[in-house]
Amino acid sequence: MVDVNMLDKVQKINPEQCLPVGVTSNTIISGSQPCPLFLEPDEFRCQFDFFYEEEGDGLFIHRVNSEDIIYSPRPRKAKLIGKYLMGECLGEGSYGKVKEVLDSETLCRRAVKILKQKRLKRIPNGEQNVQREIEILRRLRHPNVIQLVDVIHNEEKQKMYLVMEYCVGGLQEMLDTAPDKKFPEWQAHGYMCQLLDGLEYLHGQGTIHKDIKPSNLLLTTGGVLKISDFGVAERLDYFAKDDTCRTSQGSPAFQPPEIANGVESFSGYKVDVWSSGVTLFNITTGKFPFKGDNIYRLFENIGKGVFTVPRNVPSPLANLIQGMLQMDPNERFGVQEVKRHPWIKRKPPMVGREVPLPPLPDSSDELRSMTVIPYLDAMYNPMESDEDDERSEAGEEEQSEVNNYGNLSSFPVIDENEPLDVNQPNVQSSHLEVERPVFGLGDDLDRNRKSSRLRRLSPASCKQQ
Amino acid sequence: MVFKNPCCCLKKSRIGYTGSSEELDSLPTSPKPPEEQNITVLPVDDPNFMTFSVMEVLDLNPNPNDYQFLGVICQVYDGSASIHVARHIPSGRYISIRKVDLDMLDREESGLSSLHRELSLMRLMQHDHILPYYCAFVAGRELWVVLPLMEQGSARDLLDKHFPDGLGETAIALILHDVLLALDYMHNMGYIHRSVKASHIFLSRSGGVYLSGFRTAITMIKDGQKLRAIHDFPADTVQNLHWLAPETLEQNLLGYDTKSDIYSLGIAACELANGCIPFSDMVPMKMLLEKINSTTPKLLDSVTLGESEGETTDSQTRRDSGLGESSYPSLGNEPNPYNRQFSLEFHDFIEVCLRHDPSERPSAAELLEHDFFKQVSTKTTQEVLCSMFQSVKPVSYTPCQSSSKDVDDSVKTLENLQLTDEWEFD
């Protein structure tokens, strides 16, 4: 028999196309009978190919009650972590997924970084890094630094949730879709000023980020830049005499010569200035100052410190980039010097079209609306999309259960039990065990991987609004 | 500023002026039984009772000794602030003082800066229908804000104490007209109020209507330019969620603008007419879903209820018994929703205010031209409201345990002590 789970698969793969099965299914697909008449055989074959594969010997189509289709477990199921309602996946870090959530009390959009202890243990220094990240983030409060809102532990599931401010997207995402992979000067200037404000604050707090790059610079709906991902950041000791650091685990393409050359100790603040300089170079030219086929070549080139600024870069900007990418850390600009630089001081004219945030890869939503809405819908209106007349007992049960949700106190606090893992075992985790080295545009590869995953998630979001 | 007690910092403080208690919002609207005798009603009929006119531009002396406290009207913002009735001793007039316990301010939530922002905004806004303050100063560990005394409290107080089923249409039109004037002024100044609701509309005995509650207000002007939209979500004001416009709640790239205040005004209008707050029976998430799905609240009267439920025999009988009891125009409203009918203009007013698409909502200036306000003649607004207020009691307060009197008493008893007993030594 074709079981309900299989139909469930149909729904996941192509919800629209499988809809007619449910709707016209009083005499539905039944065992060893010819296929139903409402589909052309060829059409049917192409849609339900796997039916044939699974059954092997010839065509078996089984009778399934329409209720079974309608009330089969749906991907859209509301999950609450503490007071946060889970939405769709926003992206993946090396430690786990980042999902959008909704604070059920304040209705504020948030993002949650989900950390699995199992996965953390496999990454060198994983647990330690996370603890440090939390410690660092807890002390920081600045408009241009991502804010940690809440930390939730689940001992049973061996998971940890870092609830953060919600950001709609990042600079990298915008660059990827921009013509020439760069911003017009005035737009880059706006981001650079905010980055410098954030850096100034961080350094004032004795914190060195060590991994400044476009993909770690996120934007809120209001266009405010937030420095994020403090996974490899370092907090200087209270009694430290200066900003001397000894370790760095940042992205290779953004590392300064002193690290590429393996110097034992170096100035931490100047590391951030260098990577900000590479970032500035990247977002204004669409290129990288240093390249290499592999990490050794890359570090060799960085270590020499020789690069050229493209000719079309105006001289004040070129001068600033030169100052930030000085090979000798002592000659390199400090944050204050950068802030005083003529290019920063003078706002460039608004020439050139603004690069917008692209619509999310899995939906055509240009507004980046809440992704929790379908889940809310499922929670409060479970019948809405079904055939109203045929309410099965199961459906009524569901209804009464849902009525209880009216009172928040009786919410079952469900831990998220990623339904995807059932169908795509370990697809994503296998990708993530490897710490990915970043060679310049290496981020692209990763991004593609992300978007393909997001597409798989789409059934839940396709119903949005 | 000293933040002595770390525990206090964990509490979410709500800073800002609301003469009414926010907590009342969630309470059932049935009139409360009169409590113990330690509740005193403002002695408005006393010939010695005098207040400053709200419009008098006063710079009262920031001297704590100038003020004699008579009692507490209510606690606001989780007990971090309280509203007192006091007398300004040099002039003998009554005023109200908001005391904010600065130690209770939550440093993490930047309570102090929002308090500062609120006060500077109240100073900036000079309008006939915006509540001003006379002076503000630090006394001990408290901040005192000296305000005009609003004898009738807020519109929410009026609903809670006297009219659980809502105000009459004329009264609502008069009140909303003045609120719209204030909103139009604010919007022209580039500010969004973000918490227009009954508990932020204050009423003086003389019929004055004043908008307050500026803690959540936000400017649309940045770097000298007026922004097309703003995106800031007021995450620390859970008690305002019911009034927020769908576009404010959605928090997407579109953002929101001054039209979001018009939506809140529509909700507040329903609140005034129905007595209850729309969506107040829902948890926030359910309310969010309803608002995003364009569910719009309506006025509860025979028109809307007839549409949705049809006439029941119960309502028929009630209608008969209700006849002849209403006297129009009165401040209150016919208690039985089946038995009352708001004008078509009022229904239309609610409909245009609560349109889902902000661009389809009229601006405050356009709304002032709405047919609903034809019943308002601007010259007599204050007089009509003033006469309406004569029928209801002003706000009450809990008198201070007058410590001086207690001390006097105990001194007297000590003086009168007669040591008649002789010492006995064994």
Side-chain angles (χ1 to χ4, degrees):
Chain A
M1 293 289 282
V2 174
D3 63 6
V4 181
N5 283 340
M6 283 197 57
L7 281 159
D8 195 21
K9 265 186 199 167
V10 183
Q11 283 191 326
K12 277 186 178 147
I13 289 163
N14 204 334
E16 285 91 356
Q17 276 172 326
C18 87
L19 196 64
V21 179
V23 175
T24 54
S25 60
N26 278 336
T27 59
I28 211 178
I29 334 174
S30 72
S32 60
Q33 278 177 12
C35 68
L37 294 172
F38 58 88
L39 284 173
E40 291 296 316
D42 279 352
E43 205 182 329
F44 186 76
R45 182 176 291 274
C46 75
Q47 281 183 25
F48 298 113
D49 258 352
F50 60 92
F51 273 46
Y52 300 82
E53 283 167 28
E54 302 260 334
E55 294 300 318
D57 52 349
L59 173 62
F60 282 102
I61 300 172
H62 303 282
R63 175 174 287 278
V64 177
N65 278 334
S66 55
E67 281 93 347
D68 291 339
I69 299 164
I70 290 165
Y71 301 111
S72 61
R74 286 193 274 160
R76 226 180 295 124
K77 194 172 176 192
K79 281 170 281 179
L80 274 167
I81 306 294
K83 61 169 181 171
Y84 301 97
L85 178 72
M86 305 298 280
E88 294 298 335
C89 199
L90 293 170
E92 284 206 51
S94 42
Y95 299 144
K97 279 183 216 160
V98 179
K99 286 189 170 184
E100 183 188 339
V101 292
L102 179 73
D103 184 327
S104 65
E105 289 166 12
T106 65
L107 298 185
C108 192
R109 285 176 97 171
R110 301 285 188 203
V112 65
K113 201 168 173 178
I114 304 164
L115 305 164
K116 289 183 189 166
Q117 246 131 21
K118 242 191 216 166
R119 197 181 285 179
L120 279 184
K121 282 194 180 122
R122 286 194 231 130
I123 300 167
N125 295 330
E127 283 176 307
Q128 220 181 319
N129 282 358
V130 168
Q131 278 310 327
R132 198 180 49 203
E133 181 174 2
I134 294 172
E135 276 310 300
I136 290 173
L137 279 172
R138 274 214 167 122
R139 295 159 193 263
L140 300 175
R141 184 161 290 223
H142 186 273
N144 298 117
V145 175
I146 195 101
Q147 193 188 319
L148 180 67
V149 181
D150 211 346
V151 179
I152 300 169
H153 290 269
N154 187 330
E155 296 295 334
E156 203 183 316
K157 292 242 172 189
Q158 293 279 294
K159 279 182 188 174
M160 196 155 59
Y161 303 90
L162 308 189
V163 184
M164 320 253 227
E165 275 178 289
Y166 175 76
C167 288
V168 266
L171 297 195
Q172 188 61 53
E173 203 178 332
M174 294 159 78
L175 288 170
D176 289 343
T177 53
D180 310 327
K181 310 254 177 264
K182 63 176 187 180
F183 296 125
E185 215 180 314
W186 62 272
Q187 197 177 357
H189 177 266
Y191 297 142
M192 205 58 201
C193 290
Q194 297 188 65
L195 169 61
L196 289 170
D197 283 349
L199 266 191
E200 189 184 23
Y201 169 80
L202 287 181
H203 291 177
Q205 297 289 311
T207 304
I208 298 147
H209 187 278
K210 293 191 184 173
D211 200 14
I212 299 288
K213 56 177 178 176
S215 59
N216 282 341
L217 304 177
L218 306 181
L219 293 174
T220 66
T221 46
V224 178
L225 180 139
K226 305 269 177 187
I227 301 174
S228 77
D229 197 345
F230 285 70
V232 296
E234 179 174 337
R235 189 181 170 80
L236 296 170
D237 190 84
Y238 279 115
F239 304 105
K241 269 184 250 142
D242 53 22
D243 59 334
T244 305
C245 293
R246 285 164 210 286
T247 56
S248 176
Q249 307 172 53
S251 314
F254 294 83
Q255 297 294 298
E258 56 269 28
I259 289 171
N261 289 336
V263 175
E264 211 165 87
S265 67
F266 46 84
S267 155
Y269 299 153
K270 293 294 173 75
V271 174
D272 281 347
V273 171
W274 175 279
S275 43
S276 302
V278 179
T279 302
L280 178 62
F281 189 106
N282 179 240
I283 65 176
T284 50
T285 66
K287 298 185 177 76
F288 280 89
F290 305 98
K291 285 183 189 133
D293 300 334
N294 54 50
I295 193 165
Y296 305 106
R297 285 275 162 76
L298 178 69
F299 274 0
E300 207 177 301
N301 291 336
I302 295 173
K304 287 178 198 150
V306 183
F307 69 99
T308 49
V309 181
R311 281 207 188 144
N312 56 355
V313 173
S315 63
L317 175 57
N319 181 272
L320 175 60
I321 292 173
Q322 298 280 4
M324 293 175 84
L325 298 183
Q326 279 294 321
M327 190 174 157
D328 182 353
N330 296 317
E331 284 174 35
R332 198 178 301 155
F333 287 171
V335 174
Q336 290 308 322
E337 274 171 282
V338 178
K339 283 193 94 173
R340 283 196 300 268
H341 192 275
W343 186 77
I344 296 291
K345 286 253 167 184
R346 199 173 302 127
K347 217 173 168 179
M350 295 225 325
V351 184
R353 260 182 68 185
E354 181 176 8
V355 174
L357 263 173
L360 283 177
D362 63 325
S363 68
S364 51
D365 180 22
E366 286 175 20
L367 300 178
R368 305 240 168 171
S369 298
M370 288 185 187
T371 60
V372 298
I373 298 302
Y375 295 94
L376 268 183
D377 233 359
M379 191 157 84
Y380 290 112
N381 308 317
M383 295 306 189
E384 175 225 43
S385 60
D386 302 334
E387 308 311 303
D388 307 315
D389 303 330
E390 302 174 42
R391 293 196 176 180
S392 70
E393 277 173 38
E396 272 155 28
E397 259 169 47
E398 199 182 340
Q399 176 81 62
S400 63
E401 190 187 321
V402 165
N403 280 341
N404 289 336
Y405 290 162
N407 177 3
L408 196 69
S409 61
S410 65
F411 255 121
V413 177
I414 317 158
D415 194 31
E416 57 124 27
N417 47 11
E418 283 115 330
L420 276 169
D421 286 2
V422 183
N423 296 317
Q424 288 114 25
N426 295 330
V427 177
Q428 60 277 60
S429 51
S430 62
H431 281 309
L432 284 156
E433 278 161 44
V434 196
E435 269 270 80
R436 75 193 151 84
V438 182
F439 300 106
L441 298 168
D443 272 15
D444 277 358
L445 270 175
D446 192 53
R447 192 154 302 281
N448 289 339
R449 206 183 292 152
K450 261 182 231 167
S451 58
S452 68
R453 249 190 47 71
L454 281 169
R455 237 168 262 130
R456 243 179 270 135
L457 272 165
S458 62
S461 56
C462 68
K463 245 217 69 187
Q464 192 162 333
Q465 304 249 353
Chain B
M1 217 59 55
V2 193
F3 297 93
K4 288 173 202 154
N5 188 352
C7 300
C8 293
C9 295
L10 296 173
K11 270 194 175 176
K12 235 193 188 162
S13 60
R14 314 224 184 288
I15 307 93
Y17 181 87
T18 65
S20 81
S21 48
E22 300 270 290
E23 301 87 297
L24 284 175
D25 291 358
S26 55
L27 289 176
T29 48
S30 60
K32 279 178 285 180
E35 286 172 35
E36 317 88 79
Q37 62 276 30
N38 63 348
I39 300 281
T40 311
V41 173
L42 277 181
V44 284
D45 299 324
D46 187 333
N48 292 328
F49 181 87
M50 285 174 77
T51 57
F52 292 113
S53 144
V54 173
M55 280 310 116
E56 274 177 80
V57 184
L58 288 172
D59 233 346
L60 296 184
N61 205 359
N63 180 359
N65 297 327
D66 274 1
Y67 304 94
Q68 179 198 358
F69 282 91
L70 302 174
V72 183
I73 297 176
C74 60
Q75 300 284 328
V76 288
Y77 300 134
D78 286 348
S80 68
S82 50
I83 312 291
H84 299 255
V85 184
R87 191 158 36 210
H88 181 240
I89 298 168
S91 66
R93 305 206 191 195
Y94 285 75
I95 39 98
S96 71
I97 293 183
R98 174 166 54 133
K99 280 187 184 177
V100 184
D101 188 340
L102 293 171
D103 281 352
M104 292 267 283
L105 284 189
D106 190 338
R107 196 165 30 159
E108 287 295 303
E109 297 289 331
S110 58
L112 197 62
S113 67
S114 73
L115 183 65
H116 184 260
R117 205 154 13 91
E118 181 195 0
L119 290 178
S120 56
L121 194 56
M122 281 172 87
R123 261 288 133 93
L124 180 70
M125 299 281 163
Q126 296 289 333
H127 188 268
D128 288 353
H129 298 291
I130 289 179
L131 192 72
Y133 69 91
Y134 296 135
C135 65
F137 52 90
V138 175
R141 45 171 225 173
E142 291 170 333
L143 178 80
W144 292 10
V145 184
V146 183
L147 299 137
L149 182 61
M150 292 287 118
E151 299 94 331
Q152 294 304 140
S154 74
R156 187 68 242 173
D157 292 333
L158 207 58
L159 291 171
D160 287 335
K161 290 193 188 111
H162 305 287
F163 307 104
D165 299 299
L167 302 182
E169 187 176 327
T170 316
I172 296 172
L174 293 168
I175 291 171
L176 290 185
H177 186 262
D178 288 354
V179 171
L180 268 173
L181 287 172
L183 270 185
D184 184 38
Y185 170 81
M186 274 191 90
H187 292 172
N188 284 331
M189 300 269 279
Y191 282 87
I192 308 178
H193 186 284
R194 299 203 296 182
S195 57
V196 178
K197 54 178 187 171
S199 61
H200 284 159
I201 300 169
F202 290 90
L203 306 164
S204 74
R205 190 79 177 163
S206 57
V209 178
Y210 304 97
L211 184 63
S212 191
F214 293 102
R215 185 171 65 110
T216 49
I218 192 166
T219 180
M220 291 190 78
I221 294 166
K222 193 187 167 198
D223 301 333
Q225 282 188 319
K226 191 167 173 184
L227 300 172
R228 192 188 52 78
I230 55 164
H231 298 82
D232 177 81
F233 184 71
D236 54 347
T237 51
V238 184
Q239 72 277 28
N240 293 336
L241 282 177
H242 290 303
W243 289 266
L244 290 186
E247 68 269 20
T248 311
L249 293 169
E250 268 179 291
Q251 302 161 69
N252 62 21
L253 287 175
L254 275 184
Y256 59 96
D257 60 12
T258 52
K259 294 287 181 67
S260 64
D261 275 348
I262 302 300
Y263 185 93
S264 307
L265 186 85
I267 299 286
C270 287
E271 183 187 2
L272 292 175
N274 300 337
C276 57
I277 303 155
F279 303 113
S280 57
D281 54 338
M282 295 175 190
V283 295
M285 286 201 293
K286 172 82 171 143
M287 179 210 63
L288 171 70
L289 190 64
E290 294 292 330
K291 280 189 180 169
I292 285 180
N293 291 337
S294 308
T295 305
T296 47
K298 295 225 160 39
L299 295 173
L300 298 177
D301 70 356
S302 57
V303 178
T304 47
L305 291 171
E307 262 172 29
S308 57
E309 289 170 29
E311 300 273 331
T312 60
T313 46
D314 186 34
S315 76
Q316 290 279 357
T317 51
R318 277 198 198 170
R319 168 173 289 188
D320 293 338
S321 67
L323 272 177
E325 279 174 27
S326 63
S327 55
Y328 178 84
S330 81
L331 189 51
N333 199 358
E334 164 59 45
N336 182 359
Y338 287 98
N339 210 356
R340 64 190 183 201
Q341 194 173 343
F342 294 108
S343 69
L344 289 176
E345 289 80 20
F346 194 10
H347 281 283
D348 183 67
F349 178 83
I350 299 289
E351 192 269 319
V352 295
C353 284
L354 297 181
R355 282 181 181 158
H356 191 264
D357 182 353
S359 64
E360 287 179 16
R361 283 175 223 146
S363 68
E366 284 161 358
L367 264 183
L368 282 167
E369 303 297 315
H370 193 275
D371 285 346
F372 174 52
F373 294 117
K374 277 193 175 155
Q375 51 193 310
V376 176
S377 89
T378 42
K379 280 176 200 160
T380 58
T381 301
Q382 200 151 349
E383 288 164 31
V384 177
L385 271 179
C386 183
S387 64
M388 284 177 169
F389 288 149
Q390 298 310 315
S391 60
V392 293
K393 281 184 189 164
V395 290
S396 49
Y397 62 94
T398 317
C400 318
Q401 307 295 331
S402 65
S403 51
S404 56
K405 201 186 164 203
D406 286 352
V407 171
D408 287 350
D409 287 351
S410 47
V411 167
K412 263 179 197 158
T413 48
L414 278 173
E415 281 172 350
N416 297 339
L417 259 186
Q418 289 178 339
L419 293 171
T420 47
D421 293 341
E422 286 181 12
W423 296 99
E424 279 174 26
F425 298 98
D426 284 322

